Amino acid sequence: MSSQRSEPTGLYGADADEPARRRAFAGGAVPVAVYGLGKMGLPLAAVYAEASGAVTGVDIDPDVAEAVDAGECPVEGEPGLPEAVERLTADGSLSATTDAVGAAAAASVHVVIVPTLVADDEPDLSALEAAVRSVGEGLDAGDTVIIESTVPPRTCRDRVAPWLEAESGLELGEFGLAFCPERTMSGRALEDIRGAHPKVVGGADDESARVAELIYGEITDAEIYTVSDPATAECVKVFEGLYRDVNIALANELATLAGEFGVDVPEAIEVANTQPFCDIHDPGPGVGGHCIPYYPYFVISEAESATPLLETARHVNEYMPEYTVDRATEALADEGRDLSEATAAVFGLAYRPGVDETRASPGVDVAELLADRAETVYAVDPVTTDSPPAGVERVSLDDIDARELDLAVVATAHDEFESIPWDAFDDVVVLDGRRQLDGQAVPHPVARLGDGSGKN
Ligand SMILES: NC(=O)C1=CN([C@@H]2O[C@H](COP(=O)(O)OP(=O)(O)OC[C@H]3O[C@@H](n4cnc5c(N)ncnc54)[C@H](O)[C@@H]3O)[C@@H](O)[C@H]2O)C=CC1
Ligand SMILES: CC(=O)N[C@@H]1[C@@H](OP(=O)(O)OP(=O)(O)OC[C@H]2O[C@@H](n3ccc(=O)[nH]c3=O)[C@H](O)[C@@H]2O)O[C@H](C(=O)O)[C@@H](O)[C@@H]1O
């Protein structure tokens, strides 16, 4: 009589064929823990809960854990997420806790998506280490650990695996480890996680890759690309970000040549991009967010070899807020006015449209520079709630028309800025950093970044 194979709870090395493993995962027999319930982690935990019905979310912030466990959604600006969190906690597919070790002891699949930041141009992996060590304390043979946080290449090999082995007393091969990066944009996280882009899997061994492929085969509709190892998958993710930073730096450097060439550089870029081998990105006042400005340092600071291109791109992009204020100063001077006596307003503190995030934001940098150089500075941003920089007064979009402005700088192309009340201002000079005003009737002098109207 064939022995009734018990449904595996751990997938790694399980004595069960692929269909049985899929049934176990999709049937809630494989408990999952997701560490980090932030802008990426909460949507990810929700999609895991939809697919497996057995997810415990872990966050060190008790307010976050309590809110999620109560079916509330602390993450703003993600369509569909509040409803998903409410539904999944109500049906028992998703719960949340601050007890990382307890959750790790109960789970067989561990997904880590905590912040990986940069401090003084060096990667700060302290949150990753804390989360991974907690997982290690609760790790059992047959478990699988999946790292989704963006990390410097070789982190899984040189840091995560040793941390897990040290805390668990197990050896890699008794448990699985894979790097499966998150390629998702805030504001469309559920759509992206469910399958907007191919999913990358890098397993520490073949069995780890098999388990990760099985899991993401249930999570996403997208194609799965399995690469040689975790380091290759770590490079895939970081390279995407490096490409973006360098490409934007090219666009920005070209924009700074516009005055010399007497050319509208975005016009030239747009037409250059009609050739399929050209994809120059958009120039702007800088590169913000907690990803693209930081990923280069995951390589610059970690690589023994020289990285002159990555460093130069960072310098070009970090210079753009100053270039933007210089161009605005020039545009004001063209109208016979001096910035030092001017009242200025920055439209947009968020790092990109529609996202409530000001980390490394060009708009914040522009506001800070203006606060040093202008008489009075206001900031208008209908999306972010963060305080503006020192010396800058936040004014709502509804109230800005009551202020007499000499200069307006558009740093972020929020949709709401389609309706800036330009007629309300008597005599304002506008510097459009994001081509937000193209097509708008603005009854004032408008300079556009890279339009060739300046001296440089
Ligand atoms: N935000 C984005 O657009 C994307 C972010 N990523 C990556 O995802 C990772 C997470 O980023 P976000 O979700 O944006 O961060 P976030 O800052 O929005 O959220 C991080 C959450 O993790 C929690 N946390 C911190 N340390 C923890 C620990 N030791 N254990 C458990 N929870 C902990 C925090 O309390 C917070 O709730 C990062 O590695 C980032 O590079 C990847 C793709 C897109
Ligand atoms: C689109 C892309 O290639 N990567 C995405 C990126 O998301 P992020 O939220 O950082 O937005 P982003 O569109 O890259 O913009 C970053 C910054 O760069 C600026 N930016 C962007 C594109 C451009 O042509 N010019 C430009 O100046 C934006 O204004 C912003 O300040 O980084 C995410 C990440 O890795 O965290 C990644 O998952 C996302 O897919």
Side-chain angles (χ1 to χ4, degrees):
M1 185 172 84
S2 67
S3 63
Q4 278 294 324
R5 281 185 178 147
S6 62
E7 291 284 340
T9 58
L11 295 172
Y12 184 83
D15 177 20
D17 59 19
E18 173 89 2
R21 293 182 179 201
R22 279 190 179 276
R23 278 196 308 276
F25 180 79
V30 180
V32 178
V34 176
Y35 306 78
L37 298 178
K39 289 186 288 300
M40 290 298 114
L42 186 53
L44 183 66
V47 176
Y48 259 92
E50 286 171 348
S52 71
V55 173
T56 302
V58 177
D59 204 288
I60 56 171
D61 182 335
D63 294 339
V64 170
E66 281 161 28
V68 172
D69 202 48
E72 294 154 22
C73 180
V75 172
E76 305 276 331
E78 289 297 349
L81 186 59
E83 298 80 358
V85 171
E86 183 179 18
R87 178 180 77 254
L88 293 161
T89 47
D91 74 16
S93 299
L94 174 66
S95 63
T97 178
T98 55
D99 178 8
V101 176
S108 303
V109 171
H110 309 271
V111 186
V112 180
I113 186 158
V114 297
T116 44
L117 303 168
V118 168
D120 301 324
D121 297 349
E122 294 285 333
D124 171 6
L125 302 183
S126 55
L128 181 73
E129 180 170 5
V132 168
R133 287 189 181 277
S134 297
V135 171
E137 284 187 58
L139 196 67
D140 294 315
D143 285 4
T144 303
V145 180
I146 293 173
I147 306 298
E148 283 226 359
S149 296
T150 306
V151 294
R154 299 167 307 183
T155 295
C156 282
R157 186 191 73 183
D158 297 346
R159 296 182 169 105
V160 171
W163 291 335
L164 290 170
E165 290 177 333
E167 296 298 337
S168 66
L170 298 171
E171 285 190 12
L172 193 57
E174 294 179 89
F175 62 88
L177 174 60
F179 182 75
C180 304
E182 201 40 69
R183 309 169 96 184
T184 295
M185 286 192 88
S186 288
R188 41 172 294 165
L190 285 178
E191 177 186 350
D192 283 356
I193 293 166
R194 286 173 179 147
H197 312 300
K199 187 69 182 179
V200 178
V201 164
D205 52 28
D206 291 346
E207 178 65 355
S208 300
R210 264 192 300 277
V211 170
E213 286 165 359
L214 178 152
I215 289 170
Y216 287 103
E218 295 295 315
I219 293 279
T220 171
D221 302 328
E223 195 171 357
I224 295 172
Y225 282 81
T226 300
V227 296
S228 306
D229 52 26
T232 306
E234 290 161 344
C235 284
V236 166
K237 177 62 186 174
V238 167
F239 288 5
E240 290 169 11
L242 300 182
Y243 164 78
R244 197 158 177 78
D245 199 49
V246 169
N247 191 315
I248 297 167
L250 170 62
N252 284 335
E253 181 152 299
L254 295 177
T256 65
L257 300 173
E260 195 174 338
F261 292 164
V263 161
D264 183 310
V265 165
E267 177 190 353
I269 287 174
E270 184 181 359
V271 178
N273 288 344
T274 58
Q275 197 254 70
F277 309 112
C278 190
D279 179 25
I280 304 172
H281 287 15
D282 301 329
V287 175
H290 40 24
C291 304
I292 304 303
Y294 296 127
Y295 290 171
Y297 293 107
F298 285 5
V299 175
I300 293 167
S301 65
E302 297 278 298
E304 298 291 325
S305 310
T307 53
L309 176 61
L310 301 180
E311 293 168 62
T312 301
R314 279 284 78 230
H315 296 153
V316 169
N317 289 332
E318 286 162 4
Y319 163 64
M320 290 312 286
E322 184 176 344
Y323 175 77
T324 300
V325 173
D326 289 348
R327 276 293 298 115
T329 305
E330 203 183 342
L332 204 54
D334 290 346
E335 303 297 319
R337 286 139 86 178
D338 188 318
L339 180 64
S340 63
E341 298 159 1
T343 296
V346 180
F347 287 85
L349 293 179
Y351 81 94
R352 75 174 162 88
V355 178
D356 179 5
E357 174 70 72
T358 57
R359 231 175 297 193
S361 173
V364 170
D365 294 340
V366 167
E368 283 172 348
L369 289 167
L370 287 172
D372 288 343
R373 302 183 190 183
E375 175 66 32
T376 305
V377 184
Y378 300 121
V380 180
D381 193 302
V383 171
T384 61
T385 49
D386 293 353
S387 305
V392 177
E393 180 190 345
R394 179 188 280 275
V395 176
S396 73
L397 186 55
D398 293 337
D399 296 339
I400 192 63
D401 58 353
R403 309 300 170 101
E404 218 14 80
L405 298 182
D406 300 298
L407 172 68
V409 178
V410 179
T412 310
H414 286 311
D415 292 344
E416 293 82 351
F417 292 162
E418 297 289 336
S419 56
I420 296 173
W422 295 112
D423 294 327
F425 305 114
D426 293 338
D427 187 12
V428 62
V429 171
V430 183
L431 190 283
D432 182 359
R434 292 286 180 192
R435 295 292 157 124
Q436 161 79 2
L437 306 181
D438 284 0
Q440 285 189 44
V442 180
H444 303 291
V446 178
R448 291 173 171 79
L449 206 68
D451 68 1
S453 60
K455 283 195 286 292
N456 60 26

